[in-house]
Amino acid sequence: MIKDLYKHRYEVFFTTQLFILFGSLLFPSDFFENVLTPILFLINTIAGILLISKKKKLMWFLILLFVVSLTVFGSSMMSRHVESQDNFLIRLSVYFIFYIVVTHQIIMQIWKAKRVNNTVVIGLMCGYISLGFIAFFLFTTIELLDPNSFKGIMMETSNVNLGLDSIMYYSYITLMTIGYGDIVPATPLAQKAAIITGLMGQFYLVIITAIIVGKYIQHNAKD
């Protein structure tokens, strides 16, 4: 069963990523952010563990991260209170490390792929979306530790969930270097983080995606 799941590792990972990004369109905002989002991230963590399951030491490291995240989330749910900032920062740190590790492994797997098929293409998309999540955790941590690091009309809200949605939106807008200007980094640290995110997006598209497209064209020409 594990072998069958491993064949579809990118599909599972990609599906959970899409639910995290767009699930709020299907469910009430508060319910989605407070209940479903943590659960979806836990499921996504399991999918990430499946993705790197052939590397045992790395797999056990991610399992440890999963246990930590599950423990923190469980304690918050049991207390029936709003999650404390300390617990939230712990979860952010866990997911930040998790996505760095998994994104690196995704890039290495698709980089070493001898032939470009549907699995490799989905893996390519997973890697790009994961970069956006890394940016989201980075920006959110900066905003929590130094409030008002990001400013704009969308950030001027007392609703925590709307604020997180705005940071998620800003993460992908910056990754794609669209830059509408409705949210701007207002501190040197936030500005550096925005630069790093933009560079990550460009490097991924120019280098990783270009190599995969080149392999695809090369193999099709031989066939």
Side-chain angles (χ1 to χ4, degrees):
M1 181 178 178
I2 298 298
K3 290 183 178 179
D4 292 335
L5 285 174
Y6 185 79
K7 292 178 182 178
H8 302 285
R9 61 195 184 281
Y10 290 130
E11 288 91 334
V12 176
F13 195 73
F14 183 63
T15 301
T16 53
Q17 285 181 319
L18 291 182
F19 270 108
I20 291 170
L21 283 176
F22 303 111
S24 59
L25 300 176
L26 304 174
F27 301 94
S29 179
D30 288 342
F31 174 72
F32 179 78
E33 294 294 341
N34 295 325
V35 179
L36 287 185
T37 296
I39 293 174
L40 286 171
F41 270 117
L42 292 175
I43 296 173
N44 191 243
T45 304
I46 296 174
I49 293 171
L50 173 66
L51 196 148
I52 55 92
S53 57
K54 288 190 174 183
K55 295 197 172 185
K56 300 301 181 182
K57 290 183 179 180
L58 201 54
M59 182 187 73
W60 283 110
F61 174 68
L62 292 189
I63 289 175
L64 176 61
L65 291 181
F66 172 77
V67 171
V68 171
S69 179
L70 184 62
T71 302
V72 173
F73 174 64
S75 65
S76 298
M77 291 294 291
M78 291 294 291
S79 65
R80 297 183 180 181
H81 295 297
V82 177
E83 185 175 19
S84 68
Q85 181 170 312
D86 289 341
N87 282 359
F88 190 47
L89 282 172
I90 292 172
R91 283 207 296 127
L92 283 176
S93 301
V94 167
Y95 289 130
F96 182 70
I97 296 170
F98 166 79
Y99 272 100
I100 288 177
V101 172
V102 171
T103 303
H104 175 262
Q105 290 301 310
I106 290 173
I107 292 173
M108 294 307 297
Q109 288 182 20
I110 62 177
W111 184 290
K112 295 177 180 178
K114 295 180 178 180
R115 295 192 66 86
V116 177
N117 51 27
N118 292 340
T119 300
V120 174
V121 172
I122 295 175
L124 188 68
M125 293 188 290
C126 286
Y128 194 69
I129 294 176
S130 293
L131 290 179
F133 282 136
I134 291 173
F136 167 71
F137 298 130
L138 179 60
F139 293 156
T140 303
T141 301
I142 292 173
E143 180 66 21
L144 283 175
L145 297 178
D146 187 11
N148 298 317
S149 289
F150 299 92
K151 293 187 176 181
I153 296 177
M154 297 177 67
M155 297 299 297
E156 296 174 1
T157 176
S158 58
N159 189 316
V160 175
N161 293 334
L162 291 178
L164 291 175
D165 279 343
S166 297
I167 294 178
M168 179 71 82
Y169 157 80
Y170 175 72
S171 299
Y172 282 94
I173 292 301
T174 305
L175 182 70
M176 294 182 287
T177 64
I178 295 175
Y180 290 121
D182 45 359
I183 299 176
V184 295
T187 64
L189 182 57
Q191 291 166 356
K192 298 299 182 184
I195 292 173
I196 291 173
T197 300
L199 287 175
M200 286 194 308
Q202 289 302 296
F203 286 158
Y204 192 92
L205 294 176
V206 173
I207 300 174
I208 308 300
T209 304
I211 288 175
I212 300 304
V213 172
K215 285 184 179 181
Y216 178 79
I217 294 174
Q218 182 182 6
H219 293 152
N220 277 1
K222 288 181 179 179
D223 295 338

